[in-house]
């Protein structure tokens, strides 16, 4: 391998799959009833159990990986491997994890006497981060150097489009993401906001639809207008949602040449979306401008 690839578990790739692909990872942490858990989920049943707890009324919280934890992780990788490390993080627009990783990498590189740890801001989460990890792995397997891969991956990220439809506005209200009045009114009217992971890696409400069916149709229309002409893998995100298969069918009808894969929204993001959220991540020929 030309470099060692690592990530945090916001990518929501099964942990045993990461190991099989030779990708190192640092688990993020979520907390339920004041008990912290490492995000080590690696089976469908693990994710379903997490969402069953939310349905039962639990309100998970999340925490970032701090600088010291990142340093320990990177030092371990430098001891374990001879070459450079490319580390992909959760979006800087959603978490301070990227900033902590950069500070840790700076300290580790100073001790190493050269740049060995390179940090990539995925400007995404869950399936979007997964998309970035996939591309970084492809470049690793092609034999590209770490420095070259970082430039290429950062260009790849500019062309990513990731759209989400949260389902439960009351969950967003409990988590402080929307006001109580907005949640009550929105739930009564069956409003489904369509969110974009924007160019800065944060969330922007782009439009609002009445009902899940119109929401899915809106995301399908967005996909049709913005998807790249070249064949590529498309990811559907699911917070244990029955809507994921329907969205997959709609996306396949638009682009039967693309492989469409359903992936989980894991605890780190699912703690904020609640159950039944659904999303799509794909490549566009245009650079993300919003």
């Amino acid at each position: 391998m030309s470099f060692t690839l690592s990530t945090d578990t916001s990518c929501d790739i099964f942990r045993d799959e990461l190991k099989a692909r030779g990708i190192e990872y640092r688990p993020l942490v979520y907390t339920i009833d004041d008990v912290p858990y490492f995000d080590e989920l690696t089976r469908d049943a693990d994710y379903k159990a997490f969402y069953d707890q939310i349905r039962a009324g639990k309100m998970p919280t999340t925490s970032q990986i701090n600088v010291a934890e990142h340093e320990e992780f990177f030092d371990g990788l430098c001891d374990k491997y001879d070459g450079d490390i490319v580390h992909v993080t959760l979006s800087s627009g959603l978490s301070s994890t990227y900033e902590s990783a950069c500070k840790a990498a700076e300290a580790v590189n100073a001790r190493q006497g050269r740049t060995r740890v390179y940090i990539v801001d995925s400007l995404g989460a869950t399936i979007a981060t997964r998309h970035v990890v996939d591309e970084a792995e492809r470049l690793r397997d092609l034999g590209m150097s770490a420095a070259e891969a970082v430039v290429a991956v950062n260009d790849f990220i500019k062309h990513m489009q990731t759209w989400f439809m949260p389902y439960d506005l009351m969950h967003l209200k409990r988590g402080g993401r929307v006001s109580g009045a907005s949640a009550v009114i929105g739930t009564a009217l069956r409003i489904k906001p369509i969110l974009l992971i924007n160019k800065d890696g944060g969330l922007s409400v782009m439009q609002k639809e009445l009902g899940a069916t119109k929401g899915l149709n809106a995301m399908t229309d967005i996909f049709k207008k913005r998807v790249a002409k070249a064949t590529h893998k498309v990811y559907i995100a699911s917070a244990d949602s029955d809507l994921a298969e329907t969205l997959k069918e709609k996306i396949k009808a638009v682009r039967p040449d693309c492989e469409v894969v359903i992936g989980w929204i894991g605890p780190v993001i699912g703690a904020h979306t609640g159950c039944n959220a659904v999303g799509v991540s794909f490549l566009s020929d245009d650079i993300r401008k919003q």
Side-chain angles (χ1 to χ4, degrees):
M1 295 185 294
S2 54
F3 57 84
T4 296
L5 177 60
S6 66
T7 187
D8 59 52
T9 51
S10 66
C11 64
D12 291 327
I13 299 171
F14 286 170
R15 311 311 173 248
D16 54 359
E17 181 182 341
L18 286 171
K19 293 174 182 176
R21 292 164 61 178
I23 302 171
E24 298 280 354
Y25 68 90
R26 174 59 167 80
L28 291 162
V29 176
Y30 63 97
T31 299
I32 299 178
D33 291 338
D34 297 322
V35 178
Y37 298 91
F38 283 114
D39 181 10
E40 289 280 10
L41 280 59
T42 199
R43 299 177 302 156
D44 290 337
D46 295 336
Y47 289 89
K48 286 183 175 294
F50 170 77
Y51 285 109
D52 283 345
Q53 290 187 78
I54 292 180
R55 290 188 174 99
K58 302 296 183 182
M59 193 69 193
T61 59
T62 60
S63 57
Q64 66 165 3
I65 305 171
N66 63 35
V67 176
E69 291 167 334
H70 271 122
E71 278 195 54
E72 181 182 15
F73 177 65
F74 295 149
D75 278 333
L77 294 182
C78 287
D79 290 341
K80 185 176 179 180
Y81 299 100
D82 293 331
D84 295 335
I85 294 110
V86 174
H87 181 75
V88 179
T89 76
L90 174 63
S91 173
S92 60
L94 299 173
S95 168
S96 297
T97 296
Y98 168 73
E99 181 182 358
S100 297
C102 288
K103 290 179 179 178
E106 184 178 359
V108 171
N109 290 335
R111 289 195 290 273
Q112 292 288 323
R114 67 177 184 87
T115 301
R116 286 196 61 193
V117 181
Y118 295 78
I119 308 299
V120 172
D121 182 354
S122 73
L123 294 178
T126 188
I127 54 170
T129 305
R130 181 175 181 173
H131 235 145
V132 176
V133 171
D134 286 351
E135 178 64 7
E137 179 189 27
R138 186 184 73 83
L139 298 176
R140 179 200 68 182
D141 294 348
L142 285 174
M144 190 173 288
S145 72
E148 292 171 329
V150 168
V151 172
V153 170
N154 283 333
D155 181 69
F156 177 90
I157 289 168
K158 294 176 183 177
H159 292 270
M160 284 177 47
Q161 292 275 329
T162 307
W163 297 76
F164 283 94
M165 183 178 73
Y167 195 87
D168 184 358
L169 293 182
M170 296 307 293
H171 182 90
L172 294 176
K173 177 257 182 183
R174 290 192 295 271
R177 301 290 168 170
V178 298
S179 69
S182 295
V184 171
I185 294 170
T187 299
L189 295 177
R190 299 185 297 112
I191 291 175
K192 305 300 179 195
I194 307 300
L195 308 179
L196 167 69
I197 297 185
N198 60 41
K199 63 182 177 62
D200 299 316
L203 291 175
S204 297
V205 178
M206 302 304 291
Q207 59 194 80
K208 298 177 182 179
E209 300 294 336
L210 295 180
T213 298
K214 289 185 178 179
L216 293 180
N217 288 340
M219 284 198 291
T220 304
D221 288 342
I222 290 166
F223 172 81
K224 185 176 182 178
K225 293 175 183 176
R226 302 193 181 209
V227 65
K229 294 178 181 178
T231 298
H232 61 278
K233 184 178 287 188
V234 176
Y235 279 115
I236 304 294
S238 172
D240 202 19
S241 174
D242 293 337
L243 301 174
E245 284 289 349
T246 302
L247 182 57
K248 178 180 178 179
E249 291 172 3
K250 290 178 177 292
I251 294 299
K252 283 293 290 184
V254 173
R255 284 295 298 272
D257 60 308
C258 289
E259 180 184 3
V260 183
V261 177
I262 296 176
W264 285 98
I265 298 175
V268 174
I269 302 303
H272 304 287
T273 65
C275 303
N276 298 317
V278 66
V280 60
S281 183
F282 57 93
L283 293 180
S284 175
D285 290 322
D286 298 323
I287 291 176
R288 208 184 330 179
K289 296 178 181 178
Q290 295 171 299

